[in-house]
Amino acid sequence: MTNQEILQIAMKQSAVDIGCQAEDFCRGENKVVIYQKRAAARNNFGGFSHFCSLISYGNNTVASVDERIVHAVVDYVRQVPFYRCFETPYSRGLANILLPYGMEIGLAREGFLPDLDILRPLSCSYPVKILTPSEFAHFYTDPWTRNALRRDYRHLDVLAVGAYDGSRLIGLAGCSADCAVMWQIGIDVLPDYRKQGVASALTSTLACEVLKQDKIPYYCCVWANIPSARNAMRSGFRPAWVEMTAESIKPDM
């Protein structure tokens, strides 16, 4: 498998996720499609919005939307360069389209894919261990493992790597089988053990293990999470796409 093949597989999966064609991500102009539900879509922390989702692989922006807003979103994406679709103040135009339908801009994050030219298991000062679901099952009750393990979708968690200080778990990277071809990696490290190479050791080791399973590891974080993005880069991942979805407006607390 090559980096280009991994990218093509990721594009095909994104196309399944939002109901477009993989080649749509390679066009020179932005594109809007009406959302079509597909059984093989990625379980992306509850799934992509059926009402409005935007994805870009750096060539253009593809918007998958409810048919009620298709014309308004077409006008929106035609007015700005593809990368501006995700930025304030330009995204306010999209927010204004969503508002009458009780929707707002929700999840926005960056996706990373492994760079096979540099990916390798890194080391740290603590021993690491590959864990099966039965071996990490009792860690779901630890509040600090919320990124590594998906409590609401634990049936998708398939593999993990832990770092230990003696018998104490001090870092955990886990991956969820979000779809048939791609497994997502999440990472948590206890505060006292951060900035010691633990996160990158666990993330890179797990990524290599995922590849051994003939699956593609991927990594996501919100744009403002600089430490997480740096960990992805140190661990052998490179930026591949950005995505943004709509969600129902939450009532004021």
Side-chain angles (χ1 to χ4, degrees):
M1 190 179 300
T2 66
N3 287 333
Q4 186 60 33
E5 288 171 338
I6 287 177
L7 179 62
Q8 292 300 317
I9 291 171
M11 286 184 177
K12 289 179 181 179
Q13 184 59 52
S14 291
V16 171
D17 294 338
I18 65 172
C20 68
Q21 301 299 316
E23 54 266 29
D24 290 338
F25 296 115
C26 300
R27 298 178 184 272
E29 69 282 345
N30 296 335
K31 183 175 179 63
V32 179
V33 300
I34 296 176
Y35 174 79
Q36 300 176 31
K37 184 177 181 180
R38 295 175 180 173
R42 188 160 39 111
N43 189 309
N44 191 11
F45 286 90
F48 283 92
S49 169
H50 297 179
F51 197 82
C52 182
S53 297
L54 276 63
I55 295 180
S56 176
Y57 276 83
N59 304 300
N60 66 343
T61 289
V62 178
S64 173
V65 302
D66 184 280
E67 61 182 2
R68 290 172 291 176
I69 61 170
V70 62
H71 296 298
V73 175
V74 166
D75 290 340
Y76 168 70
V77 301
R78 282 178 176 172
Q79 294 177 17
V80 295
F82 73 88
Y83 54 89
R84 297 291 188 190
C85 293
F86 301 85
E87 295 181 355
T88 305
Y90 300 96
S91 60
R92 292 174 186 163
L94 180 61
N96 290 335
I97 295 171
L98 299 174
L99 185 60
Y101 299 91
M103 306 292 289
E104 62 185 356
I105 294 173
L107 177 72
R109 62 182 191 167
E110 185 172 15
F112 298 78
L113 292 173
D115 184 342
L116 300 183
D117 294 330
I118 62 173
L119 176 66
R120 69 187 190 283
L122 301 176
S123 60
C124 64
S125 301
Y126 302 93
V128 302
K129 179 183 178 182
I130 298 170
L131 305 170
T132 62
S134 61
E135 292 174 312
F136 60 71
H138 59 288
F139 294 132
Y140 283 100
T141 57
D142 292 343
W144 65 272
T145 62
R146 293 186 180 276
N147 292 309
L149 301 177
R150 298 175 62 177
R151 284 155 176 74
D152 295 335
Y153 300 91
R154 63 178 64 193
H155 62 286
L156 298 177
D157 291 339
V158 290
L159 197 62
V161 179
Y164 292 84
D165 185 355
S167 60
R168 183 189 186 193
L169 180 75
I170 55 96
L172 184 68
C175 63
S176 57
D178 290 356
C179 62
V181 294
M182 299 176 68
W183 290 0
Q184 181 175 187
I185 292 179
I187 177 71
D188 290 292
V189 178
L190 286 173
D192 291 345
Y193 294 88
R194 293 172 185 170
K195 297 185 178 180
Q196 300 180 48
V198 175
S200 57
L202 295 178
T203 303
S204 61
T205 299
L206 183 55
C208 291
E209 291 298 318
V210 171
L211 287 168
K212 291 179 183 178
Q213 303 295 322
D214 292 325
K215 307 296 181 182
I216 295 174
Y218 75 100
Y219 186 109
C220 288
C221 68
V222 297
W223 297 326
N225 194 341
I226 301 301
S228 187
R230 287 175 175 167
N231 176 59
M233 300 289 284
R234 285 195 300 266
S235 302
F237 287 78
R238 293 293 179 263
W241 77 89
V242 292
E243 58 192 41
M244 183 167 68
T245 67
E247 62 181 24
S248 297
I249 297 175
K250 297 179 177 62
D252 293 335
M253 302 299 291

